[in-house]
Structure formats: structure tokens, C-alpha cells
Amino acid sequence: MASVRTTGAFVAAISMSMVLFSYFLCTYRSKRKTPFSLSKYKNPRNGLIHAVGNTPLIRINSLSEATGCEILGKCEFLNPGGSVKDRVAVKIIEEALESGQLVCGGVVTEGSAGSTAISLATVAPAYGCKCHVVIPDDAAIEKSQILEALGATVERVRPVSITHRDHYVNTARRRALEANELASKSKKSEQIDGKFSDQIDCCMSDGEKKGSIFSSYCNGGFFADQFENLANFRAHYQGTGPEIWEQSGGRLDSFVAAAGTGGTVAGISSFLQEKNPNIKCFLIDPPGSGLFNKVTRGVMYTKEEAEGKRLKNPFDTITEGIGINRLTQNFKMAKLDGAYRGTDKEAVEMSRYLLKNDGLFLGSSSAMNCVGAVRVAQSLGPGHTIVTILCDSGMRHLSKFYDAQYLSEHGLTPTATGLEFLGI
């Protein structure tokens, strides 16, 4: 009798288990059939603009192990437009719209060696704006191709000194003025005729139509002016800097980065040193740039050269987007404790080392920043935490920085097997 009761209890338990299993299986299947809904997911981002920023801060394992320091990289290449300049583009456009300097349907113009232009072309449509870019013709050709694919109009010009009328930045400034003049003519024509048109060419003569690159714009232009516009600095002071502080838990000893416009190094260094004055901030400067001398000696050039007048050599450096021969309003905001000089060969070798050992496929400025991080680690010694910026990936540098023939022609073919090029 006891055996029968035991068997009955066992069967009852099995039956109850089967009932519960069937219930949970049916519930699971019914949930799988539920249509996808963003509301079921935590903190969905609202469109492209809200996907900019909050990039991960990662440990660069190979460099950390080689130096005895914690070397961390802020993965800005994971922004929607592929670089740190997405932050700047968003900030510049938003401030311009808020101030009324730019209106929906207007065109944003910029002189850029590539990344800022690509970021502007990426985010401008999200604000209902268009983009016109003036780019030096020695920049990697793939950058122009990306810009055109994004819908921007691209104007390539020869590299000249910033003091020259046709420097790419000065040309971009003129293009914004031209767009505004055309918009003004359009408004006057509408007032006279009592007609309204969405196309500016309705009020232009045939000669003006042929000579203007803005014949399809009607709402004016705005020069982004990334070098002097302090929205650049604010993008990093209010965004990138606080993110680094939070992601590192405030436990960092140093920050290092190169400078082009100066906005990144200025915004981040200013924020970090306000949070903790003991954090040491450094510049890493490529060949052909005068910023190293300015930071370390107080003067940008030798006595034989007039500051701000030096002509740019077409091959000062293989790195793009960093190094400059003048002081920008953004760079003047930087809080720096010193500077290091990096070489093209070091940047090339570093990029291949990181690709081989960490799987990081980085652009030229990112590689130079990592050279700077190792230099700082060597200076401070083991046990310190150093942060740098991984600005963009190598995808925009295939025709020069990652082209074997180009590197060979300039004596930059990588040969290192480790970090011996930095004395490690």
C-alpha cells in the first residue's frame, strides 16, 4: 500500500511539473509573437543626434601591459559619423539654430581636412540643413568620396597658408557669405513680385546661376568655423570631459591628445583640471606643427619665422586633422602641463602594432594619440592611469596612411615587431 501511495504521489508531481512546463512554454511563445516595440527596451535613443556621444572608454591592453600603466582610450570612432567630430558638429549646428544664425533649409559651410566635414554632412540633414565643404586636395580621396555620398557638395582646393585668401577655411567663410547674399536677393525678389519660391535660382540671372554653387539654396548660409567657434570647446567641456570623468570614476592621472582646432584637448583638459588640479594634461604634436614649441617654449617658431606666416609644406606630416601653425581661440582654452613631439614613423608603427595586438584599426590621429599615451606613461612611470582619444578608425585613411606604396615613397614602411620604435 505504501508503494502504491508513493507511486501515486510521484505521478502527481510529474503531472504538475508537466502542467507548469506547458504553461511557461505557451507564455514564452506568446511573448515571442509580440510585435517589436522600443518601449520594451531601456532608454532607446531618439534618432541620430541622440546617438552621438557616450562612447565607451576601453583599456588598451597591449600598451597597458607594456608600460605598467592603465592606458585607456575613448572610442570616438563609434559615433554615428565615425569620429570625435560628431560632437562638435552637433554643438555648432544647435547653437547656430538657437541664435538664429542658421535656419532650417540653410547650408552649413566648413573648411575641413575631413572628419569635421563628414560629421557636419552626417548630422546636418537631421536638422533640416545642407552642407558645403571646402577640403584641401592633399587630404585622402576617400574623405571626399564619403562627403559626396552623404549628399554634401565638395570643393577641393590646393593647400596654402591660412593667411592666403584661398586657404580652405577662408574659402568656406566666403561661401557662407555668398549663400547669404543669394538668400537676400531671393527675399527682395519675392517682396517685389509678391511671389514665394523654394528655390533661390528663380531670382538669379543666367550668369549668376552659372557662377554660383548655391543655386539650389534659399535660406542662407552659416560658416561653422570649427577652428575659432567656441562651440567646439564647449562640446568637449560639457560632453567628452564629463564622460571620461564618470567612466574612469575620477581615477585618472593624466590626459593626452593631439590638437588641430584645439577644441578636444582644450575642452577635456579644462574640465578634468577643474575636477582635479592634480591631473596632468599633455599635448602630442606631429611634424610640421608649431604647437609643441608654443607649449614648451612660449613661441611657435624660430626667430627667422613670423608666427602665423609660415607656409604649409604639402608633406609636413602624414597625419590628418592634427597639427597647426597658429593659435586658435579653442586651443587658447587648453590647460596643459607640457607637450611631446611625435613622428610620422611612430604613428604608422603604432597603428600596425595596435591592429596586430589589440584588433584596433585606427586612423592617423588616433595612432599619434597612442604614441603620446606611451610617452606620458614612460615619463610618469608604472602605476598611473592615462586617458587618450581614439578619434576615428582607419577606414578614412586607406589611400595614404594604410597604403603600402604611399608609405614606401615617403620612407615610412613599418618594420617594427614590437614597441621598440618607442624604446620599449
Side-chain angles (χ1 to χ4, degrees), residues 58-60 63-64 67 69-73 373-374 377 384 386 388:
I58 66 168
R59 182 180 189 263
I60 304 178
L63 300 185
S64 298
T67 61
C69 289
E70 289 296 295
I71 295 183
L72 311 178
V374 173
H384 294 88
I386 300 154
T388 193

Side-chain angles (χ1 to χ4, degrees), residues 186-384:
S186 178
K187 291 178 182 178
K188 289 179 181 178
S189 178
E190 290 169 357
Q191 291 172 357
I192 293 172
D193 298 339
K195 298 177 181 179
F196 294 89
S197 171
D198 290 330
Q199 299 296 323
I200 195 168
D201 58 357
C202 68
C203 65
M204 298 171 62
S205 67
D206 290 340
E208 287 176 316
K209 289 179 183 178
K210 291 180 181 179
S212 174
I213 58 176
F214 294 118
S215 60
S216 63
Y217 300 129
C218 62
N219 286 337
F222 171 74
F223 175 47
D225 198 13
Q226 60 164 327
F227 288 90
E228 308 301 334
N229 189 338
L230 289 178
N232 185 344
F233 165 83
R234 288 187 286 273
H236 299 291
Y237 179 80
Q238 298 171 4
T240 323
E243 287 176 27
I244 289 173
W245 178 261
E246 181 179 353
Q247 291 171 328
S248 66
R251 295 185 296 274
L252 69 157
D253 300 291
S254 181
F255 168 75
V256 60
T261 65
T264 304
V265 71
I268 295 174
S269 65
S270 294
F271 178 84
L272 292 178
Q273 291 206 349
E274 283 182 14
K275 298 296 289 186
N276 180 359
N278 293 322
I279 295 175
K280 302 297 182 183
C281 296
F282 298 96
L283 172 79
I284 177 71
D285 209 30
S289 174
L291 295 180
F292 172 81
N293 286 338
K294 190 66 177 179
V295 173
T296 59
R297 304 173 188 172
V299 293
M300 190 165 283
Y301 304 115
T302 63
K303 294 179 180 179
E304 291 75 26
E305 296 176 301
E307 188 163 336
K309 302 293 183 181
R310 185 184 184 199
L311 293 176
K312 180 182 182 295
N313 185 308
F315 190 74
D316 274 341
T317 177
I318 194 175
T319 60
E320 294 186 1
I322 56 174
I324 194 170
N325 290 318
R326 70 183 192 276
L327 289 181
T328 66
Q329 292 301 314
N330 283 288
F331 187 80
K332 290 177 182 178
M333 304 292 287
K335 307 296 183 184
L336 297 173
D337 296 285
Y340 298 88
R341 175 75 81 188
T343 69
D344 284 337
K345 188 64 180 296
E346 289 170 347
V348 171
E349 295 284 12
M350 178 61 77
S351 68
R352 275 54 173 189
Y353 178 85
L354 292 173
L355 183 58
K356 179 181 178 180
N357 292 278
D358 298 88
L360 288 170
F361 181 43
L362 302 177
S364 57
S365 57
S366 301
M368 186 65 80
N369 283 349
C370 290
V371 169
V374 173
R375 291 293 189 207
V376 173
Q378 291 172 316
S379 176
L380 297 182
H384 294 88

Side-chain angles (χ1 to χ4, degrees), residues 20 60 122 124-125 164 218 250 308 325 368 388 402 406-407:
L20 290 172
I60 304 178
T122 299
H164 196 289
C218 62
N325 290 318
M368 186 65 80
T388 193
Y402 280 96
Y406 184 90
L407 295 178

Side-chain angles (χ1 to χ4, degrees), residues 24-71:
F24 286 118
L25 180 62
C26 290
T27 302
Y28 172 73
R29 285 178 174 172
S30 65
K31 286 184 177 180
R32 287 182 65 192
K33 294 177 182 177
T34 303
F36 177 81
S37 172
L38 279 176
S39 62
K40 292 180 177 294
Y41 293 82
K42 184 178 180 180
N43 299 324
R45 300 197 181 184
N46 184 22
L48 177 79
I49 301 305
H50 288 85
V52 175
N54 292 309
T55 54
L57 183 69
I58 66 168
R59 182 180 189 263
I60 304 178
N61 293 327
S62 65
L63 300 185
S64 298
E65 291 161 7
T67 61
C69 289
E70 289 296 295
I71 295 183

Side-chain angles (χ1 to χ4, degrees), residues 3 8 63 97 109 151 169 206 208 227 262 308 330 346 380 385 419-420 422:
S3 175
L63 300 185
L97 288 169
T109 73
V169 172
D206 290 340
E208 287 176 316
F227 288 90
N330 283 288
E346 289 170 347
L380 297 182
T385 298
L419 289 172
E420 62 267 26
L422 291 177

